Every structure is written in C-alpha cells, then in structure tokens.
Amino acid sequence: MPAAFDDLWIGQVASLGAGVVSETELAAFCKTYAPHWDVTDGLPDALIFALWSKLEAEASLNWPQTKRLAVDALRWSRNPPPGELLRGRLTVMGKDAVGDTKGVVIAQNDLLDEAGRLVFSCLTRSVFQRNPKAPKPDEA
C-alpha cells in the first residue's frame, strides 16, 4: 500500500507480510516478559502484539504515512502454537482529508493463522500525505 491518501480507497486490502515465532523465541520471550505463562498455551498476547507491530512497521517503511495517531480495539481471538505461520493484513475502513496536505486513514489490522482464522485484530488511525494539488490555471 505505498500510496498517498488520495490514492487509497475504502475496502482496499494490503499485506503486512508474514512471520513465525519459534519455540526458542517463545521461551526467551516468556522467560523475560511472561515468566508465569505456560508455553503449552501457545503464544502469549503480548508476543502476538509484538509480532503484529513488527510486521506493520516493516510493511509501512516506504508508505507516505507520517504519523500513527492511535491503535484501538485490540482483540485476541486465539493463541497459536509456536512454529505456525501468521500473516498480517490491513483493510482501509475509512479516510478523512485534513486540509490539502494530509488525511487520516482508519484501518482494520488482522493477524491470521495458517488456516485463515483470526488470531489478533486492532484498529489504527494514521496520518498519510496527500497528493500535491495541481496549480490552478490562473496560478501558473
């Protein structure tokens, strides 16, 4: 989705990429951040959020997104086991122009497991650059 605000449309879907958390990574995370989490219960919620955050950050590196305003409505549907491929997607749910140079994009973000089941979702609000306006004929 490397597109300016004006080029995005409601319902547009973009891939955020995919990732796998290994048993070793799960054990290291739990040792440091969730020492009471039973690794047989799958990935803890905080690790799922961290994976989504990493995928979203890497996917948006070259987007004309200038600022993240909010991450809301976080939901965890399941805790997949380590080694399962999780893929991220973003769906544009709404957009609102804010002047001539920027606009706010509201997006649904999902992490899905190998079977396509929802693992995690959240809403984001981000500022995107707008396309430059063409000069008016009397301004040229």
Side-chain angles (χ1 to χ4, degrees), residues 41-56:
D41 290 337
L43 306 180
D45 294 348
L47 182 51
I48 292 169
F49 179 83
L51 176 62
W52 165 77
S53 186
K54 176 181 183 263
L55 292 175
E56 194 276 339

Side-chain angles (χ1 to χ4, degrees), residues 8-139:
L8 301 175
W9 65 88
I10 293 173
Q12 183 175 3
V13 178
S15 172
L16 297 178
V20 174
V21 177
S22 70
E23 288 184 20
T24 303
E25 291 166 325
L26 172 60
F29 181 90
C30 288
K31 180 179 179 184
T32 303
Y33 299 106
H36 302 292
W37 181 265
D38 183 350
V39 295
T40 63
D41 290 337
L43 306 180
D45 294 348
L47 182 51
I48 292 169
F49 179 83
L51 176 62
W52 165 77
S53 186
K54 176 181 183 263
L55 292 175
E56 194 276 339
E58 290 173 353
S60 65
L61 276 175
N62 296 314
W63 295 357
Q65 175 178 304
T66 60
K67 184 176 184 178
R68 164 82 54 199
L69 299 174
V71 179
D72 299 319
L74 286 77
R75 304 225 191 286
W76 288 265
S77 300
R78 60 183 301 270
N79 300 87
E84 188 165 323
L85 180 70
L86 301 176
R87 58 187 174 83
R89 72 175 177 206
L90 175 148
T91 305
V92 176
M93 303 298 287
K95 48 188 270 194
D96 186 25
V98 182
D100 293 337
T101 60
K102 59 188 172 184
V104 175
V105 174
I106 300 168
Q108 171 76 32
N109 293 255
D110 300 316
L111 268 183
L112 306 170
D113 66 15
E114 292 174 352
R117 296 174 296 192
L118 186 64
V119 171
F120 168 79
S121 69
C122 66
L123 292 175
T124 55
R125 287 170 179 75
S126 304
V127 176
F128 276 71
Q129 296 173 347
R130 295 194 69 185
N131 290 327
K133 281 192 162 191
K136 295 178 184 175
D138 58 327
E139 295 176 353

